[in-house]
Amino acid sequence: MLTGPTPSGGEKILQKDDTEPSTHFIQNLIEEDLKTGKYEGRVHTRFPPEPNGYLHIGHAKSICLNFGLAKQYAGKCNLRFDDTNPSKEEDEYVKAIMEDVRWLGFDWEDRLYFSSDNFDQLYEYAIQLIKKGKAYVDELTPEQMREYRGTLTEPGQNSPYRDRAVEENLDLFERMRAGEFAEGERVLRAKIDMASANLKMRDPVMYRVLNAVHHRTGDKWCIYPMYDFTHGQSDSLEKITHSICTLEFEDHRPLYNWFLKELDIYCPQQIEFARLNLNYTLLSKRKLLQLVQEKHVNGWDDPRMPTLSGMRRRGYTPAAIRDFCERIGVAKSNSTIDFALLEHCVREDLNRTAPRVMAVVRPLKVVLENYPEGQVEELIAENNPNDPSAGSRKIPFSRVLYVEQDDFMEDPPKKFFRLGPGREVRLKHAYIIKCERVIKDENTGEVIELRCTYDVETKSGSSMETRKVKGTLHWVSAPHAQPAEMRLYSHLFLNENPADEKECLSSGLNSDSLEIIEKGFIEPFLQDAVGGDRFQFLRLGYFCVDNVDSRSGSPVFNRTVTLRDTWAKIAKKSG
Ligand code: ATP
Ligand code: MG
């Protein structure tokens, strides 16, 4: 398993190699084909989603691979919806998928295809196979078909309807199309080999009766081609050169090739690669749909979802996701990637681009007893030390501040370099302060206020700044700070491999995956932030303004990712 950064320096294995970029096996295959002129030097790939759900991070791997190869070899990549399964919500999914592919940074230009556009052609192909004696109409019940199919160790048996005459098959298929049969009463099957070691080759179903309205063809059809009788022909019609898919399609390949050969049409090369698996994460549209329908999450774009729309809302950047997809590579055997690697990529990108600001999640009031009442200073804060062009801003400082509750301990251990009775810390961009007294709630004993003094001679950035203390805290000025809702997320599942959870998805759910902070405080200027704006809240993590629940002047902040690696570095330096 690839692991994420650890304080012990495990981070190194994640760094991109500066040496020659290594090519993966699909690039090697393509380069070989380019050398031999197999497809007249063409590279034409496609990304073929079924519009039955929103795209997830696993799809991102496929998108980056297909569009990436097209770009690398000056080829083309199509977006094709494999929409053979009529369902009423498909239009919503089609729109969402197009938005997500564009957001990831890829462009199919004028090459948008729908398998359903090939329904007439596929019907013609079916007739051709019937005429060749390579397809027949069967009337076994679904249960009988299962019995006749055999098992991995036993061959199947021929259907008693297998040797119908061509004319009879043509007539029955025509009548299937005309709506004379109910669902399950008749199917069209390929006549291949009921004894094949590959179960997919045991006379697979090509067409079934489905009285369903299709999102594009409406009620024109009451028979629909199976995915397996559609996918390969769609690739063929689009003149795809390298048809890249995940490993579970390996034993479909002989079937796709059989159809194309029997139809005597152009044959792309299918190449299988290992799908992305991520720990603590489900990557199956069917199961993600279940999470949505059972309301374990607030929709497909819930920031805890591994969907691209969820990640976008959470604050992940397209560049970080592309970087992740590049780092995990492309292989032939399945493995599981550590979620920490994805978070590492997100941090690396945001570290470069997100302005650093101050906010307090759980406020503790601090009163500076020696700071003049009514005085307000404007302090200068740089926006990003990694990017001087990001400039600086002014932040107000006054007698009453908020710091983080976690940054105070009444009886701290020696290495707690934050506030405690009699201890000093630096306030970022401001002064060194000292905790003089603690005020508690009379009834509960809870610490409700710290009485501190500040040292006027320690102003950050001034020539007087000579004295050093170990801890630096973030803060906001109480009379100037704006209240804001903040949402802190963690893994949706407790189980490292939630796909193991057999029947009941909800049993493995982490009940603490969302913590809502109703009233944190932000620097005044942040109240004008808009959906999608990303910031580093110093010491707290990266946050993104929620693009659904934020209102003008009242942003809601999603925590994108914590700053864990920064802390690891600090631990390393001081250790
Ligand atoms: P799901 O199981 O989530 O429904 P799927 O494979 O049925 O996934 P499709 O819409 O058919 O979803 O997938 C479109 C493309 O994305 C296919 O080429 C598929 O192989 C690829 N893909 C899907 N999941 C992954 C994954 N986890 N890793 C890499 N590629 C994936
Ligand atoms: Mg699928």
Side-chain angles (χ1 to χ4, degrees):
M1 187 160 80
L2 280 176
T3 52
T6 60
S8 57
E11 206 173 328
K12 277 200 200 93
I13 64 161
L14 306 175
Q15 305 303 337
K16 263 182 267 182
D17 213 336
D18 299 330
T19 56
E20 276 290 279
S22 63
T23 54
H24 56 68
F25 77 98
I26 301 183
Q27 290 166 323
N28 293 338
L29 278 171
I30 291 179
E31 281 169 26
E32 194 54 38
D33 289 344
L34 289 175
K35 253 184 240 153
T36 61
K38 185 167 175 193
Y39 297 104
E40 307 95 36
R42 285 188 312 123
V43 174
H44 200 151
T45 56
R46 84 288 172 265
F47 172 63
E50 255 181 272
N52 60 348
Y54 282 58
L55 296 181
H56 52 62
I57 183 79
H59 294 113
K61 177 176 179 179
S62 176
I63 295 168
C64 291
L65 180 59
N66 279 296
F67 281 93
L69 287 169
K71 188 167 177 212
Q72 180 180 358
Y73 296 106
K76 290 175 179 158
C77 182
N78 298 355
L79 174 62
R80 179 172 78 238
F81 288 98
D82 263 335
D83 55 351
T84 51
N85 220 335
S87 110
K88 53 182 185 293
E89 286 145 348
E90 281 178 343
D91 257 344
E92 175 195 346
Y93 297 137
V94 167
K95 286 199 191 87
I97 288 170
M98 294 205 285
E99 185 184 355
D100 287 347
V101 174
R102 280 204 195 96
W103 176 74
L104 251 196
F106 299 103
D107 184 4
W108 55 89
E109 296 168 338
D110 58 350
R111 295 178 308 280
L112 172 64
Y113 295 90
F114 291 84
S115 289
S116 55
D117 289 348
N118 300 328
F119 280 173
D120 284 304
Q121 177 67 68
L122 289 165
Y123 184 78
E124 285 308 312
Y125 284 154
I127 302 261
Q128 277 180 41
L129 291 183
I130 295 173
K131 286 184 176 162
K132 268 185 94 174
K134 297 289 181 181
Y136 61 99
V137 173
D138 201 357
E139 55 197 80
L140 291 180
T141 64
E143 299 80 57
Q144 286 170 325
M145 269 184 67
R146 226 169 288 130
E147 280 164 32
Y148 277 68
R149 187 176 300 126
T151 64
L152 279 174
T153 50
E154 284 169 42
Q157 293 169 50
N158 287 351
S159 162
Y161 305 99
R162 196 175 197 258
D163 293 317
R164 287 194 213 266
V166 168
E167 286 313 314
E168 192 185 354
N169 281 319
L170 285 174
D171 176 58
L172 283 169
F173 188 49
E174 185 57 37
R175 286 166 57 196
M176 278 171 67
R177 183 188 182 168
E180 284 189 31
F181 301 109
E183 292 182 11
E185 272 181 6
R186 297 288 186 284
V187 291
L188 182 72
R189 297 179 73 175
K191 195 171 181 177
I192 309 180
D193 178 6
M194 287 305 291
S196 173
N198 181 346
L199 269 70
K200 297 274 178 251
M201 300 297 272
R202 295 185 186 173
D203 291 11
V205 173
M206 293 161 54
Y207 264 89
R208 79 278 204 207
V209 175
L210 268 183
N211 292 309
V213 174
H214 187 277
H215 76 124
R216 286 177 65 85
T217 57
D219 59 5
K220 174 174 175 189
W221 298 90
C222 63
I223 55 171
Y224 288 93
M226 300 298 288
Y227 182 86
D228 279 350
F229 188 64
T230 308
H231 186 79
Q233 289 93 314
S234 300
D235 278 347
S236 173
L237 291 164
E238 291 171 30
K239 294 285 183 291
I240 299 304
T241 56
H242 301 85
S243 171
I244 298 165
C245 60
T246 42
L247 288 178
E248 65 274 21
F249 287 97
E250 195 162 0
D251 57 0
H252 298 234
R253 174 161 31 100
L255 176 59
Y256 296 171
N257 288 343
W258 185 89
F259 283 134
L260 300 179
K261 185 162 158 278
E262 293 298 336
L263 291 168
D264 195 22
I265 54 178
Y266 170 87
C267 187
Q269 178 182 353
Q270 176 172 313
I271 307 167
E272 305 89 15
F273 72 102
R275 63 194 291 117
L276 169 68
N277 300 303
L278 263 184
N279 61 1
Y280 299 103
T281 309
L282 275 181
L283 295 180
S284 146
K285 279 179 286 183
R286 188 177 57 78
K287 290 184 179 162
L288 295 177
L289 175 64
Q290 200 183 332
L291 289 176
V292 173
Q293 285 177 335
E294 293 176 7
K295 300 210 184 323
H296 299 301
V297 294
N298 303 315
W300 285 98
D301 66 349
D302 186 303
R304 292 167 294 178
M305 289 281 269
T307 51
L308 295 182
S309 52
M311 289 182 170
R312 171 165 64 238
R313 195 171 161 193
R314 175 98 170 238
Y316 286 25
T317 59
I321 294 174
R322 291 194 305 263
D323 180 31
F324 170 73
C325 290
E326 192 174 316
R327 288 185 198 213
I328 57 178
V330 180
K332 258 290 190 198
S333 59
N334 278 309
S335 64
T336 299
I337 307 291
D338 195 328
F339 203 90
L341 176 56
L342 176 56
E343 295 194 325
H344 174 83
C345 295
V346 172
R347 282 189 198 103
E348 257 202 7
D349 190 36
L350 293 178
N351 184 44
R352 275 190 296 270
T353 54
R356 284 156 166 71
V357 301
M358 293 201 286
V360 171
V361 174
R362 294 178 191 83
L364 174 61
K365 188 173 170 188
V366 166
V367 177
L368 302 177
E369 292 183 319
N370 62 341
Y371 196 89
E373 298 249 15
Q375 177 173 310
V376 177
E377 273 175 272
E378 293 209 305
L379 303 175
I380 303 296
E382 60 186 339
N383 289 327
N384 190 342
N386 293 337
D387 177 11
S389 74
S392 60
R393 68 187 186 286
K394 289 182 177 150
I395 44 175
F397 185 83
S398 69
R399 181 179 154 90
V400 184
L401 313 166
Y402 292 126
V403 298
E404 210 68 60
Q405 285 172 18
D406 281 355
D407 284 333
F408 171 81
M409 276 179 86
E410 211 175 354
D411 188 16
K414 214 166 161 213
K415 291 222 160 172
F416 185 78
F417 300 119
R418 304 182 229 170
L419 280 171
R423 295 203 180 191
E424 282 190 319
V425 293
R426 168 165 294 285
L427 295 180
K428 184 73 181 173
H429 305 305
Y431 298 94
I432 290 176
I433 64 166
K434 181 176 183 185
C435 176
E436 308 284 354
R437 276 184 305 125
V438 178
I439 297 178
K440 296 181 182 178
D441 182 296
E442 276 176 17
N443 300 317
T444 63
E446 182 197 358
V447 175
I448 51 172
E449 186 177 316
L450 303 179
R451 290 276 163 167
C452 300
T453 51
Y454 86 113
D455 180 350
V456 68
E457 298 195 343
T458 58
K459 186 168 180 174
S460 282
S462 73
S463 53
M464 290 186 285
E465 191 197 349
T466 49
R467 219 148 64 76
K468 292 250 182 295
V469 287
K470 279 224 162 133
T472 301
L473 306 188
H474 62 275
W475 54 275
V476 291
S477 166
H480 302 94
Q482 299 295 320
E485 181 177 324
M486 299 171 188
R487 299 174 182 173
L488 312 183
Y489 302 99
S490 48
H491 289 308
L492 201 47
F493 291 96
L494 295 167
N495 186 343
E496 182 159 357
N497 189 1
D500 285 350
E501 223 77 44
K502 283 286 171 290
E503 289 310 312
C504 183
L505 267 185
S506 52
S507 65
L509 283 173
N510 174 11
S511 54
D512 297 325
S513 60
L514 168 61
E515 182 186 358
I516 297 180
I517 305 291
E518 276 170 18
K519 202 175 166 192
F521 286 100
I522 54 177
E523 277 184 43
F525 93 98
L526 285 174
Q527 77 174 315
D528 297 324
V530 297
D533 284 355
R534 301 180 182 90
F535 301 94
Q536 183 191 118
F537 286 180
L538 283 181
R539 299 177 65 238
L540 294 175
Y542 293 97
F543 284 73
C544 178
V545 178
D546 189 85
N547 57 18
V548 176
D549 294 331
S550 297
R551 297 286 164 266
S552 172
S554 164
V556 171
F557 289 88
N558 291 318
R559 186 170 66 195
T560 310
V561 64
T562 58
L563 295 176
R564 207 180 47 163
D565 69 331
T566 310
W567 289 108
K569 274 179 205 150
I570 289 167
K572 240 162 69 187
K573 262 186 216 156
S574 60

